[in-house]
Amino acid sequence: MNTSVIGEPITRIDGKLKVTGGAKYAADYPFEKLAYGVAVPSTIANGKIARIDSAKAERMPGVIAVFHHGNFDKLYRPSGAFEEQSRAGESRPPFEDENIYYYGQFVALVVADTFQQAQDAAANVRVTYDEKTPLVLLNQAAPANITLATKYSRGDADSAFQNAPVQLDVTYTTPTETHNPMEMHATIAVWNKDKVTLYESSQGVVNHHNVMSEMLGVPLENIEIISKFIGSGFGGKLFPWPHSLLAAVAARKIGRPVKVSVPRTLMFTTVGHRPAIQQRMRLGAAQDGRLESFQNDILQHTSLVDDYVEDCTQVSSLLYSCPNNTAIQHLAHLNVGTPTPMRGPGRTPALFAIESAMDELAVKLNMDPLELRLKNYAETDEASNLPWSSKHLREAYQTGAERFGWSKRNPKVGSMRNGDLILGWGMATCNWPASRHAAEVRVRLLADGTARASCATQDIGTGTYTIFAQVVSDKTGLPLDKIQVVLGDSALPPGPISGGSSATSTVLPAIVEATQKAVDAVIQVAARTPGSPFQNADAKTLKMTQGRIHAQDKSPDTGVPFESIIALRNLVGLDGHARTDADPNAKKFSTHSFGAHFCEISFDPGIARLRVTRWLTVIDGGRMINAKTARNQMLGGVVMGIGMGLFEATVYDPRNGHPINNNFADYVVPVNADIPEMDCIFLDYPDTVLNEYGARGIGEIGLTGVASALTSAAYHATGVRVRNLPIRMEDLIV
Ligand code: MOS
């Protein structure tokens, strides 16, 4: 019998290339006469360029050109339509004019024969400014700079709150966080007459393609975006940033390939970040814990250039059952770069506030925090009034509680000990929406007995190459090592962004259909070609199993390898091509993943040291397609959440808007020593509203809820409620 590889812990098919250095990342491509562009960042956050003096830099060895707003091509500002896959990270084209909106904004680009020459000359470009005082902190925003982003309401939350016997009114803040993937952004632009190829680190080559066409004014057919391997992105590489345009224009102007890399320091300014957010939570409840009013009043920052909304209202409106619910979100326009989605955008900061507030309410009610969640369990999506497509959150809570030993928790603060260490236990809910979009895939069954699947979508390190191979294997019976997957090139059939935890659910149906069509094409040839063992058979009675064409009612051994059918006609191969889109039927449901975190921290009161000592996550995320990469995603999400809870914050100097901790010494991310024993359980209920396999996508949900599980555990150990992330040692000294 055919053993399916779906759901198995399959090792990444591109893993060997990566660990042996064979995988080429954007900055790795070698070119004859490659020139290097080094950008000059502004040293003010608000004002205008008064003068750029590049005379000295231009005379330095190896320098080819110095570009700035005075001599650069005028570029188009794109529409920013996400749905149409034409959104730029920062919609203002680089070097558009003399205005400065944020610290680190590119003001010039030096292009030279070597990287060192360009770097040296960039340091010798003299820029003088007319500087104005910048506003970079949320609480500095003037009313005129605050605009409404979005608002949700049902019932009358205000009066229900006033009348509620138990009230909680608290404000939480989450700081600016910066994406720090291992691989930094980089672009190499190569022109060949009027055609340009951009080697990119992109989470969406199709989007990048569309945006570059619009902004550069070059027809789509004359642009190709290549992104074969990506050292992750976390959302920061979803949309093109200014350096990509700088490389493209500079290469066009000097007539040589140009590489522009974004060094780690500039990863903190010109390529997006998670904005600082403040959330005022007001919860009203009955004495038995039933929620009567649920309100979230949200303020986030964005730039002066773009209205980036990190929507915290959605999850606020649907996580718990409550008749009176309001969520309102405003934008504060500040002198910062344009923010961008960062893993779990909206829900990650929102769940920090919501789940912290639920923990605080449980304390007020003298109720177990898990019991409070169960009491307010949402049996339907009360925001959309739709049934859930598949929700097993109650089972996730119960499985987690049993496995963790939650019933042994003594709720009294500081009561649980391990020797001299105080233990704190916390839990929180996870949530992330599931969606599916348009995708096209081509699958070719080749004369040499192998298969090749291709799609423009890219693998950002999550395992997309492997998922493609698993599905082709599932539908043909070919072993994984006979399946080649080609991704990350805008010249291939268009595929989705690697974002929103939706790439897998989006591509699965297209791979299935394209594979099936390729198999059908072989079967048609088998049934029609003279000399074929199935010459007189009805095509409908044939199938392909274990790579062999055979009669449906007989075993594969009675058939022949598919390549022998292809050989009958001297073909190179036979293709299947499919385009699939969201199933309109899915609109009748609210499609979400859920889950629960349970954690333990230890606290050493002598030195105020908090360590995370145990972590358990239970996920109701649909069916897992690859148990190994799924587990990677979940544990990675929790590690990132530990970073959010304990370490990460981009700090702007209010005097000049400089993100002062723009390096790995000062912007602290978790290391192995910070990470405890971790476990993750998948409930694995297929959600077939989205696709035949029932996969929902799992890239982001693991991060949601983590930070509030941590602050709740810290409260349980110390009695200190940290409402402003990250938890700092000094917060815990009492
Ligand atoms: Mo994700 S923030 O959609 O890469």
Side-chain angles (χ1 to χ4, degrees):
M1 230 357 256
N2 197 16
T3 321
S4 174
V5 291
I6 300 295
E8 293 301 306
I10 305 293
T11 296
R12 282 171 172 73
I13 61 169
D14 51 332
K16 189 174 171 191
L17 268 182
K18 285 187 161 185
V19 299
T20 56
K24 265 208 197 80
Y25 293 78
D28 295 342
Y29 288 84
F31 288 98
E32 284 285 316
K33 303 200 69 177
L34 178 65
Y36 295 79
V38 169
V40 179
S42 79
T43 53
I44 67 163
N46 188 16
K48 285 182 189 306
I49 299 168
R51 203 169 102 81
I52 294 187
D53 178 1
S54 57
K56 182 178 175 198
E58 280 167 37
R59 287 194 305 272
M60 291 177 66
V63 173
I64 302 161
V66 181
F67 297 109
H68 48 76
H69 69 281
N71 65 2
F72 203 64
D73 293 357
K74 290 294 167 224
L75 303 176
Y76 179 74
R77 208 182 258 247
S79 65
F82 193 10
E83 317 71 51
E84 288 152 32
Q85 292 225 45
S86 63
R87 177 163 153 185
E90 181 177 317
S91 63
R92 177 185 180 269
F95 305 166
E96 188 178 50
D97 52 30
E98 68 280 16
N99 293 323
I100 301 295
Y101 297 99
Y102 61 92
Y103 188 100
Q105 179 183 317
F106 294 146
V107 294
L109 180 80
V110 175
V111 185
D113 287 330
T114 71
F115 175 67
Q116 290 77 7
Q117 288 168 333
Q119 209 176 23
D120 195 13
N124 282 284
V125 175
R126 293 282 161 252
V127 187
T128 47
Y129 300 95
D130 293 329
E131 186 177 3
K132 287 189 276 188
T133 310
L135 298 177
V136 292
L137 305 177
L138 256 190
N139 60 16
Q140 287 179 324
N145 281 336
I146 294 180
T147 55
L148 177 68
T150 178
K151 184 175 162 64
Y152 169 83
S153 185
R154 67 172 176 263
D156 183 346
D158 265 328
S159 50
F161 180 74
Q162 298 305 334
N163 298 327
V166 183
Q167 298 172 342
L168 181 81
D169 181 351
V170 283
T171 298
Y172 302 91
T173 65
T174 47
T176 298
E177 280 187 278
T178 299
H179 314 71
N180 272 296
M182 291 267 281
E183 183 211 14
M184 294 168 283
H185 293 255
T187 303
I188 299 178
V190 186
W191 289 84
N192 183 358
K193 301 206 178 73
D194 53 359
K195 290 186 167 38
V196 64
T197 305
L198 297 174
Y199 297 83
E200 281 290 342
S201 188
S202 169
Q203 287 177 246
V205 298
V206 172
N207 180 79
H208 207 104
H209 189 217
N210 292 336
V211 172
M212 287 296 138
S213 174
E214 273 191 287
M215 294 187 84
L216 294 169
V218 174
L220 279 171
E221 60 270 25
N222 286 354
I223 305 185
E224 186 172 359
I225 312 296
I226 293 184
S227 213
K228 293 285 172 190
F229 293 97
I230 299 146
S232 197
F234 304 119
K237 294 172 180 171
L238 284 168
F239 313 122
W241 296 102
H243 65 274
S244 183
L245 292 151
L246 293 184
V249 173
R252 179 162 64 186
K253 286 185 105 71
I254 70 163
R256 283 170 60 173
V258 170
K259 167 152 71 178
V260 178
S261 311
V262 178
R264 188 63 69 182
T265 53
L266 295 182
M267 294 286 288
F268 287 76
T269 53
T270 67
V271 288
H273 56 267
R274 193 199 297 281
I277 306 177
Q278 170 188 302
Q279 297 174 78
R280 180 182 177 193
M281 297 288 317
R282 273 170 293 177
L283 271 52
Q287 289 294 354
D288 69 353
R290 207 168 298 276
L291 287 167
E292 294 179 348
S293 176
F294 195 97
Q295 289 172 274
N296 191 0
D297 192 342
I298 306 137
L299 179 66
Q300 65 153 104
H301 84 214
T302 186
S303 67
L304 290 155
V305 178
D306 294 289
D307 289 351
Y308 170 75
V309 182
E310 169 123 4
D311 193 341
C312 297
T313 66
Q314 291 172 355
V315 67
S316 299
S317 68
L318 59 71
L319 192 62
Y320 292 108
S321 174
C322 181
N324 304 295
N325 184 306
T326 301
I328 181 163
Q329 185 154 349
H330 286 89
L331 301 179
H333 297 262
L334 298 175
N335 291 109
V336 295
T338 299
T340 208
M342 182 171 180
R343 204 177 195 174
R347 287 172 199 241
T348 298
L351 279 166
F352 168 63
I354 293 167
E355 290 299 276
S356 294
M358 289 297 277
D359 198 73
E360 295 208 51
L361 183 63
V363 171
K364 268 199 178 208
L365 291 162
N366 203 13
M367 186 182 253
D368 182 88
L370 176 52
E371 194 191 328
L372 179 64
R373 270 114 175 152
L374 291 168
K375 188 133 226 158
N376 294 288
Y377 195 83
E379 299 289 355
T380 58
D381 176 347
E382 294 180 9
S384 63
N385 282 315
L386 293 173
W388 306 110
S389 54
S390 160
K391 178 178 181 181
H392 302 273
L393 176 58
R394 195 177 273 116
E395 184 178 333
Y397 285 141
Q398 282 158 356
T399 303
E402 271 165 40
R403 199 67 81 88
F404 192 83
W406 189 254
S407 63
K408 296 200 238 8
R409 179 178 182 266
N410 180 340
K412 194 170 162 347
V413 165
S415 63
M416 294 176 70
R417 299 224 165 214
N418 175 14
D420 290 339
L421 299 173
I422 307 172
L423 301 181
W425 285 10
M427 58 85 50
T429 312
C430 325
N431 170 269
W432 189 254
S435 58
R436 173 182 150 190
H437 311 278
E440 277 185 52
V441 170
R442 182 176 300 127
V443 171
R444 172 170 283 195
L445 290 163
L446 290 142
D448 65 359
T450 66
R452 182 167 66 217
S454 58
C455 177
T457 197
Q458 52 291 308
D459 185 336
I460 63 166
T462 49
T464 305
Y465 278 112
T466 311
I467 298 265
F468 268 78
Q470 284 179 265
V471 176
V472 174
S473 172
D474 184 47
K475 295 296 169 193
T476 59
L478 289 173
L480 292 169
D481 61 9
K482 287 202 164 178
I483 300 164
Q484 189 196 357
V485 183
V486 187
L487 304 176
D489 185 338
S490 63
L492 296 169
I497 55 162
S498 301
S501 302
S502 60
T504 297
S505 64
T506 294
V507 297
L508 286 179
I511 312 168
V512 168
E513 201 179 307
T515 309
Q516 202 52 57
K517 283 182 174 169
V519 169
D520 288 348
V522 176
I523 286 174
Q524 288 300 333
V525 171
R528 283 190 201 152
T529 306
S532 157
F534 306 104
Q535 191 183 337
N536 299 314
D538 179 351
K540 287 203 266 319
T541 65
L542 301 178
K543 69 188 281 198
M544 179 160 157
T545 316
Q546 292 171 18
R548 299 169 74 84
I549 304 295
H550 61 98
Q552 262 168 13
D553 55 0
K554 297 202 180 121
S555 84
D557 317 337
T558 64
V560 296
F562 79 85
E563 60 268 31
S564 68
I565 301 291
I566 290 179
L568 290 173
R569 285 279 181 98
N570 260 335
L571 293 162
V572 175
L574 284 161
D575 274 2
H577 183 262
R579 182 182 195 281
T580 55
D581 206 338
D583 179 352
N585 188 47
K587 286 213 163 62
K588 296 183 199 140
F589 300 93
S590 179
T591 49
H592 281 77
S593 288
F594 293 91
H597 296 294
F598 293 83
C599 76
E600 178 188 87
I601 59 107
S602 73
F603 182 68
D604 182 340
I607 55 171
R609 187 174 69 182
L610 185 156
R611 306 288 289 173
V612 186
T613 46
R614 199 147 65 90
W615 204 281
L616 172 66
T617 304
V618 185
I619 292 292
D620 166 31
R623 183 170 173 207
M624 296 308 128
I625 300 300
N626 183 326
K628 185 183 268 187
T629 52
R631 189 178 158 82
N632 285 171
Q633 283 298 309
M634 218 46 64
L635 300 188
V638 173
V639 170
M640 201 161 167
I642 290 174
M644 178 185 181
L646 301 184
F647 307 118
E648 291 187 54
T650 304
V651 180
Y652 296 100
D653 184 333
R655 295 168 303 177
N656 53 20
H658 182 187
I660 46 176
N661 58 339
N662 57 0
N663 58 76
F664 270 172
D666 299 314
Y667 186 91
V668 185
V669 294
V671 298
N672 279 341
D674 298 307
I675 302 306
E677 181 190 320
M678 298 169 87
D679 202 3
C680 166
I681 298 167
F682 292 110
L683 298 183
D684 226 34
Y685 290 103
D687 187 344
T688 50
V689 157
L690 284 159
N691 50 63
E692 71 165 72
Y693 289 115
R696 274 204 295 246
I698 41 149
E700 289 159 287
I701 190 168
L703 172 57
T704 67
V706 171
S708 70
L710 276 172
T711 53
S712 300
Y715 172 82
H716 182 225
T718 66
V720 176
R721 177 69 61 175
V722 177
R723 299 195 182 101
N724 308 303
L725 288 182
I727 302 175
R728 295 171 200 273
M729 188 183 256
E730 53 269 38
D731 295 330
L732 304 178
I733 300 172
V734 283

